[in-house]
Amino acid sequence: WDGLKWACIGDSITEANSRTSKNYHDYISEDTGIVVENMGKSGSGFMKLNDSSNAYYQRISSIPTDADVVTIMASGNDLSLTLGNVTDTGTDTICGCINTTINNLYSVLPTVRVGIITPIPWESYPPNTDNAMAKYTEAVIQICKNRGIPCLDLYHSSGLRPWDATFKSLVYTKDNGNGVHPDENGHKLIASPIKSFLDSLIGC
């Protein structure tokens, strides 16, 4: 992968900020030589921050046209908004914004290798329960199935357990007790499955 360019679209989990000294993409870049274009924006989502033109579908236009692979990490920031249906178009619902993000990406890079990653679980939204993040994740996965896009389900398989007090004290040390943003230990944990996911996308 040395010299390939990877555009990472996401929220504060992808953005370089004070919650971690190293993000998942930093670990992968150090290990493989892939060049990272960090397109993370704290507080954003597929729909969230659309009022300031920072939603994912609005930021696609700034993606590097020489990107070899693109990943889009879904965001729990969207959960306060209307989910809608997986066939929605337009930008009035989260699902509509997911489909619009994909459409906008393909309009810029019609043959790029792209994969979508579900959100990682938050302390207040543990997996395998009937909550807003679980329903959001289901919608992301179904849209990917409908559109033939590879999807990595980190909501159910990240290994992160912020609801576990001992785990949280070791892996969420810079999160102000929110149970949302893992530190470098947590990013190292999710770097492994994301690297495997990238391998399946790049195929070399």
Side-chain angles (χ1 to χ4, degrees):
W1 302 354
D2 190 23
L4 295 182
K5 181 173 285 189
W6 170 26
C8 305
I9 300 169
D11 57 11
S12 54
I13 305 300
T14 299
E15 179 189 67
N17 53 52
S18 61
R19 279 98 170 220
T20 177
S21 63
K22 190 177 290 188
N23 295 75
Y24 64 88
H25 46 74
D26 294 316
Y27 286 107
I28 296 170
S29 178
E30 288 178 2
D31 190 38
T32 66
I34 198 166
V35 176
V36 173
E37 181 73 21
N38 188 342
M39 298 184 66
K41 174 68 176 177
S42 184
S44 68
F46 281 108
M47 186 176 185
K48 192 68 173 180
L49 296 190
N50 63 342
D51 54 348
S52 60
S53 299
N54 282 305
Y56 292 0
Y57 74 89
Q58 295 165 318
R59 303 209 313 270
I60 286 294
S61 61
S62 61
I63 198 167
T65 55
D66 61 346
D68 297 288
V69 61
V70 177
T71 57
I72 306 171
M73 182 177 282
S75 173
N77 294 320
D78 283 325
L79 297 184
S80 62
L81 305 171
T82 302
L83 180 61
N85 300 307
V86 296
T87 55
D88 284 352
T89 57
T91 57
D92 293 331
T93 66
I94 298 169
C95 287
C97 288
I98 296 172
N99 282 310
T100 300
T101 299
I102 296 167
N103 293 342
N104 289 353
L105 174 61
Y106 284 148
S107 71
V108 177
L109 296 168
T111 62
V112 74
R113 290 163 282 193
V114 59
I116 295 179
I117 304 170
T118 72
I120 57 174
W122 292 4
E123 180 179 7
S124 55
Y125 294 104
N128 301 316
T129 57
D130 187 23
N131 61 50
M133 187 172 278
K135 294 175 181 177
Y136 175 62
T137 296
E138 288 174 6
V140 170
I141 292 171
Q142 188 58 54
I143 288 172
C144 286
K145 287 180 179 178
N146 290 352
R147 305 198 59 161
I149 295 173
C151 183
L152 173 61
D153 183 5
L154 285 187
Y155 178 63
H156 292 102
S157 62
S158 67
L160 297 172
R161 306 188 310 279
W163 53 87
D164 180 316
T166 300
F167 185 89
K168 182 180 175 183
S169 69
L170 298 171
V171 179
Y172 289 77
T173 60
K174 303 172 183 177
D175 187 44
N176 296 320
N178 294 321
V180 171
H181 305 93
D183 61 19
E184 53 276 4
N185 297 307
H187 276 269
K188 187 174 184 178
L189 193 65
I190 64 173
S192 179
I194 294 175
K195 181 184 174 186
S196 296
F197 185 52
L198 271 182
D199 189 46
S200 70
L201 297 175
I202 295 172
C204 62

